[in-house]
Amino acid sequence: MIRTLALVILLSSAMPVLAQELPPRPYPQGDAFPLGAYSLQPVEELPQVTPFGSNFGHTYQFTAEYLDATLANGLYALARIPKISEEVTWETIRERIQEYAQYDNVLWWDLPEELRYWEPAEEEMMQRIPQLTRELDPMKRPNFMYQPTHVTPGRIAMDAPNLDIIGCGAYTEYHNMPRSWMRYAIEREIEGIERAGFEVGRDYLAGQKTPIAVLQLFYSPNMSILSPIDARHDFWASIAAGARGVLIFSYWHKRDGGVMQGTWDAYNECAQQLTSANLGPVFLFGEPFTDVSFAILRGPQMSAPFEPYGYNHEVRYPSLTVRAWTHEGSLYVLAVNSSERGLTARLGGLPEGATEAEATFETVTPEGEGAQPVQRMVPVAGGGIEDSFGGLGMHLYRIALP
């Protein structure tokens, strides 16, 4: 019987805490856009994240009590499976899966991190743990394994047959890469999925895979600081590149050096924008609209070049990344500038009958004393929009379809 507690006792307190109703289940089993954080602890701070749209958490000190605590705060959780060791046997893992599977708020099964397919003992874990979760979990929830930031599409392809959720570190500062590397970080996941003969999609029991962004929230003195502007860029650029979920590494590290709180706040702002505008169904289930084109009229045509790990040549993208979807009578166009400099671009291929586009999240204040901010609307003429983008800026346009 699935455990849905009405009353739980948190580890941090002897006082009972009423469990909140769980929000809609995140993708791919559910319809909500996955928004979560690693090391979402201590449990006393869990109530601070739900108002911004986060819907799942993680801890490295995982026990069933963490499932109780997240359930009490209306959150799902990654169910962490330990590595085989002298203390942890295959029977231990069976028992843990059976225990955790009782909880409705297990989101994904979280395999030991960074297992290597060329190490026989690790490859055995990568194969057998997903087999056990399918066997022992009545809900057959998806399997996920964090993969390191330097992985290549080839390594992702080797791991993909055993996983349902594909998530690799996309740590731009840690990897000393320009912001445009974020596009590569997500597209390599999709390339790895396709190289392995699979498709991106929600039907994981039939072999489809879900690429997610694992974004940086940590700092050390030997790297540059990930600023709030950088964080906003990475959040939206990952979605423009094809991510179907965002997982931040990590909530605990927002304490690093006294410089990460503003970056965490920026990620929260993005999550709140996505959820308050109900964009999850657009990004997850919208019909891709491939007619949109763009031309950069002023400003840098190309973003900074970089050489990914395992490559012997540079990769360079246009400064602008654009992805579009139609959903419930509207066309949504997400455009993200990965250049540090501002630019002006024209987006073409829009419906000929359209006359204006709503710039989601943006307002303008008309002239005149006492005027209040109003929704920013952008003219559409001849099937196109001309607009300016700040350095690392983005626009999300919504156009009513004729």
mmCIF file of all heavy atoms in Angstrom, residues 188-210:
data_model
loop_
_atom_site.group_PDB
_atom_site.id
_atom_site.type_symbol
_atom_site.label_atom_id
_atom_site.label_comp_id
_atom_site.label_asym_id
_atom_site.label_seq_id
_atom_site.Cartn_x
_atom_site.Cartn_y
_atom_site.Cartn_z
ATOM 1 N N ARG A 188 24.204 17.586 -25.931
ATOM 2 C CA ARG A 188 24.968 16.331 -25.873
ATOM 3 C C ARG A 188 24.129 15.222 -25.248
ATOM 4 O O ARG A 188 24.263 14.052 -25.606
ATOM 5 C CB ARG A 188 26.256 16.516 -25.084
ATOM 6 C CG ARG A 188 26.003 16.769 -23.608
ATOM 7 C CD ARG A 188 27.219 16.857 -22.750
ATOM 8 N NE ARG A 188 26.826 17.374 -21.437
ATOM 9 C CZ ARG A 188 27.655 17.470 -20.421
ATOM 10 N NH1 ARG A 188 28.911 17.079 -20.535
ATOM 11 N NH2 ARG A 188 27.237 17.956 -19.275
ATOM 12 N N GLU A 189 23.243 15.563 -24.280
ATOM 13 C CA GLU A 189 22.363 14.553 -23.698
ATOM 14 C C GLU A 189 21.423 14.000 -24.764
ATOM 15 O O GLU A 189 21.229 12.783 -24.876
ATOM 16 C CB GLU A 189 21.551 15.154 -22.543
ATOM 17 C CG GLU A 189 22.389 15.581 -21.355
ATOM 18 C CD GLU A 189 21.548 16.115 -20.209
ATOM 19 O OE1 GLU A 189 20.299 16.158 -20.345
ATOM 20 O OE2 GLU A 189 22.131 16.488 -19.176
ATOM 21 N N ILE A 190 20.831 14.915 -25.534
ATOM 22 C CA ILE A 190 19.894 14.495 -26.579
ATOM 23 C C ILE A 190 20.630 13.681 -27.643
ATOM 24 O O ILE A 190 20.126 12.657 -28.121
ATOM 25 C CB ILE A 190 19.197 15.727 -27.179
ATOM 26 C CG1 ILE A 190 18.363 16.437 -26.085
ATOM 27 C CG2 ILE A 190 18.326 15.347 -28.365
ATOM 28 C CD1 ILE A 190 17.805 17.770 -26.500
ATOM 29 N N GLU A 191 21.840 14.114 -27.997
ATOM 30 C CA GLU A 191 22.626 13.349 -28.971
ATOM 31 C C GLU A 191 22.948 11.959 -28.440
ATOM 32 O O GLU A 191 22.859 10.962 -29.180
ATOM 33 C CB GLU A 191 23.918 14.092 -29.307
ATOM 34 C CG GLU A 191 24.768 13.366 -30.342
ATOM 35 C CD GLU A 191 26.075 14.077 -30.660
ATOM 36 O OE1 GLU A 191 26.204 15.272 -30.325
ATOM 37 O OE2 GLU A 191 26.977 13.427 -31.243
ATOM 38 N N GLY A 192 23.310 11.861 -27.163
ATOM 39 C CA GLY A 192 23.599 10.562 -26.578
ATOM 40 C C GLY A 192 22.390 9.649 -26.580
ATOM 41 O O GLY A 192 22.488 8.442 -26.865
ATOM 42 N N ILE A 193 21.221 10.210 -26.258
ATOM 43 C CA ILE A 193 19.972 9.447 -26.295
ATOM 44 C C ILE A 193 19.732 8.894 -27.695
ATOM 45 O O ILE A 193 19.405 7.715 -27.886
ATOM 46 C CB ILE A 193 18.802 10.344 -25.836
ATOM 47 C CG1 ILE A 193 18.903 10.630 -24.333
ATOM 48 C CG2 ILE A 193 17.452 9.704 -26.184
ATOM 49 C CD1 ILE A 193 17.977 11.730 -23.858
ATOM 50 N N GLU A 194 19.904 9.750 -28.687
ATOM 51 C CA GLU A 194 19.633 9.338 -30.066
ATOM 52 C C GLU A 194 20.687 8.357 -30.577
ATOM 53 O O GLU A 194 20.367 7.425 -31.323
ATOM 54 C CB GLU A 194 19.548 10.581 -30.953
ATOM 55 C CG GLU A 194 18.328 11.439 -30.622
ATOM 56 C CD GLU A 194 18.295 12.763 -31.379
ATOM 57 O OE1 GLU A 194 19.346 13.135 -31.971
ATOM 58 O OE2 GLU A 194 17.242 13.423 -31.369
ATOM 59 N N ARG A 195 21.940 8.538 -30.177
ATOM 60 C CA ARG A 195 22.979 7.585 -30.601
ATOM 61 C C ARG A 195 22.674 6.184 -30.094
ATOM 62 O O ARG A 195 23.009 5.186 -30.744
ATOM 63 C CB ARG A 195 24.339 8.024 -30.052
ATOM 64 C CG ARG A 195 25.031 9.103 -30.818
ATOM 65 C CD ARG A 195 26.507 9.113 -30.400
ATOM 66 N NE ARG A 195 27.181 10.339 -30.757
ATOM 67 C CZ ARG A 195 28.480 10.540 -30.562
ATOM 68 N NH1 ARG A 195 29.216 9.580 -30.012
ATOM 69 N NH2 ARG A 195 29.045 11.676 -30.898
ATOM 70 N N ALA A 196 22.060 6.114 -28.914
ATOM 71 C CA ALA A 196 21.732 4.813 -28.327
ATOM 72 C C ALA A 196 20.469 4.210 -28.939
ATOM 73 O O ALA A 196 20.066 3.100 -28.552
ATOM 74 C CB ALA A 196 21.564 4.953 -26.818
ATOM 75 N N GLY A 197 19.839 4.919 -29.872
ATOM 76 C CA GLY A 197 18.666 4.389 -30.551
ATOM 77 C C GLY A 197 17.353 4.700 -29.872
ATOM 78 O O GLY A 197 16.329 4.063 -30.179
ATOM 79 N N PHE A 198 17.342 5.709 -28.962
ATOM 80 C CA PHE A 198 16.124 6.067 -28.248
ATOM 81 C C PHE A 198 15.629 7.448 -28.683
ATOM 82 O O PHE A 198 16.322 8.182 -29.386
ATOM 83 C CB PHE A 198 16.363 6.060 -26.733
ATOM 84 C CG PHE A 198 16.826 4.734 -26.200
ATOM 85 C CD1 PHE A 198 18.149 4.527 -25.834
ATOM 86 C CD2 PHE A 198 15.936 3.671 -26.086
ATOM 87 C CE1 PHE A 198 18.582 3.299 -25.346
ATOM 88 C CE2 PHE A 198 16.348 2.436 -25.606
ATOM 89 C CZ PHE A 198 17.680 2.249 -25.235
ATOM 90 N N GLU A 199 14.428 7.791 -28.213
ATOM 91 C CA GLU A 199 13.838 9.095 -28.484
ATOM 92 C C GLU A 199 13.622 9.841 -27.182
ATOM 93 O O GLU A 199 13.504 9.233 -26.109
ATOM 94 C CB GLU A 199 12.479 8.944 -29.190
ATOM 95 C CG GLU A 199 12.526 8.280 -30.549
ATOM 96 C CD GLU A 199 11.134 8.120 -31.146
ATOM 97 O OE1 GLU A 199 10.143 8.286 -30.391
ATOM 98 O OE2 GLU A 199 11.036 7.842 -32.350
ATOM 99 N N VAL A 200 13.551 11.153 -27.280
ATOM 100 C CA VAL A 200 13.152 11.969 -26.139
ATOM 101 C C VAL A 200 11.633 11.898 -26.017
ATOM 102 O O VAL A 200 10.907 12.046 -26.998
ATOM 103 C CB VAL A 200 13.605 13.430 -26.331
ATOM 104 C CG1 VAL A 200 12.997 14.329 -25.266
ATOM 105 C CG2 VAL A 200 15.126 13.519 -26.318
ATOM 106 N N GLY A 201 11.135 11.644 -24.817
ATOM 107 C CA GLY A 201 9.693 11.582 -24.602
ATOM 108 C C GLY A 201 9.373 11.050 -23.225
ATOM 109 O O GLY A 201 10.263 10.631 -22.476
ATOM 110 N N ARG A 202 8.093 11.024 -22.883
ATOM 111 C CA ARG A 202 7.681 10.668 -21.531
ATOM 112 C C ARG A 202 7.444 9.172 -21.326
ATOM 113 O O ARG A 202 7.389 8.703 -20.189
ATOM 114 C CB ARG A 202 6.416 11.434 -21.154
ATOM 115 C CG ARG A 202 5.138 10.943 -21.810
ATOM 116 C CD ARG A 202 3.930 11.734 -21.391
ATOM 117 N NE ARG A 202 3.790 11.830 -19.942
ATOM 118 C CZ ARG A 202 2.767 12.435 -19.332
ATOM 119 N NH1 ARG A 202 1.806 12.993 -20.052
ATOM 120 N NH2 ARG A 202 2.701 12.478 -18.022
ATOM 121 N N ASP A 203 7.300 8.410 -22.404
ATOM 122 C CA ASP A 203 6.947 6.991 -22.272
ATOM 123 C C ASP A 203 8.207 6.176 -21.971
ATOM 124 O O ASP A 203 8.686 5.395 -22.792
ATOM 125 C CB ASP A 203 6.258 6.504 -23.539
ATOM 126 C CG ASP A 203 5.625 5.124 -23.355
ATOM 127 O OD1 ASP A 203 5.746 4.543 -22.247
ATOM 128 O OD2 ASP A 203 5.000 4.629 -24.309
ATOM 129 N N TYR A 204 8.720 6.333 -20.758
ATOM 130 C CA TYR A 204 9.991 5.696 -20.411
ATOM 131 C C TYR A 204 9.880 4.184 -20.327
ATOM 132 O O TYR A 204 10.865 3.470 -20.542
ATOM 133 C CB TYR A 204 10.541 6.274 -19.103
ATOM 134 C CG TYR A 204 9.681 6.039 -17.895
ATOM 135 C CD1 TYR A 204 9.894 4.963 -17.052
ATOM 136 C CD2 TYR A 204 8.640 6.903 -17.587
ATOM 137 C CE1 TYR A 204 9.106 4.736 -15.941
ATOM 138 C CE2 TYR A 204 7.837 6.696 -16.477
ATOM 139 C CZ TYR A 204 8.072 5.621 -15.652
ATOM 140 O OH TYR A 204 7.274 5.400 -14.558
ATOM 141 N N LEU A 205 8.702 3.669 -20.017
ATOM 142 C CA LEU A 205 8.552 2.213 -19.973
ATOM 143 C C LEU A 205 8.674 1.596 -21.363
ATOM 144 O O LEU A 205 8.933 0.401 -21.498
ATOM 145 C CB LEU A 205 7.216 1.845 -19.331
ATOM 146 C CG LEU A 205 7.086 2.193 -17.841
ATOM 147 C CD1 LEU A 205 5.692 1.861 -17.339
ATOM 148 C CD2 LEU A 205 8.149 1.471 -17.008
ATOM 149 N N ALA A 206 8.501 2.423 -22.388
ATOM 150 C CA ALA A 206 8.686 1.960 -23.765
ATOM 151 C C ALA A 206 10.038 2.389 -24.323
ATOM 152 O O ALA A 206 10.287 2.232 -25.523
ATOM 153 C CB ALA A 206 7.569 2.502 -24.654
ATOM 154 N N GLY A 207 10.906 2.961 -23.459
ATOM 155 C CA GLY A 207 12.259 3.282 -23.886
ATOM 156 C C GLY A 207 12.540 4.739 -24.154
ATOM 157 O O GLY A 207 13.692 5.096 -24.450
ATOM 158 N N GLN A 208 11.549 5.612 -24.073
ATOM 159 C CA GLN A 208 11.829 7.030 -24.272
ATOM 160 C C GLN A 208 12.587 7.597 -23.062
ATOM 161 O O GLN A 208 12.496 7.072 -21.949
ATOM 162 C CB GLN A 208 10.534 7.808 -24.518
ATOM 163 C CG GLN A 208 9.876 7.463 -25.846
ATOM 164 C CD GLN A 208 8.638 8.302 -26.133
ATOM 165 O OE1 GLN A 208 7.938 8.754 -25.244
ATOM 166 N NE2 GLN A 208 8.375 8.522 -27.416
ATOM 167 N N LYS A 209 13.335 8.680 -23.290
ATOM 168 C CA LYS A 209 14.211 9.247 -22.269
ATOM 169 C C LYS A 209 13.899 10.727 -22.039
ATOM 170 O O LYS A 209 13.425 11.418 -22.946
ATOM 171 C CB LYS A 209 15.685 9.117 -22.679
ATOM 172 C CG LYS A 209 16.096 7.723 -23.156
ATOM 173 C CD LYS A 209 16.012 6.669 -22.058
ATOM 174 C CE LYS A 209 16.392 5.292 -22.576
ATOM 175 N NZ LYS A 209 16.264 4.233 -21.535
ATOM 176 N N THR A 210 14.205 11.188 -20.819
ATOM 177 C CA THR A 210 13.965 12.577 -20.435
ATOM 178 C C THR A 210 15.292 13.267 -20.137
ATOM 179 O O THR A 210 15.960 12.927 -19.160
ATOM 180 C CB THR A 210 13.077 12.646 -19.180
ATOM 181 O OG1 THR A 210 11.793 12.096 -19.469
ATOM 182 C CG2 THR A 210 12.905 14.086 -18.702
#
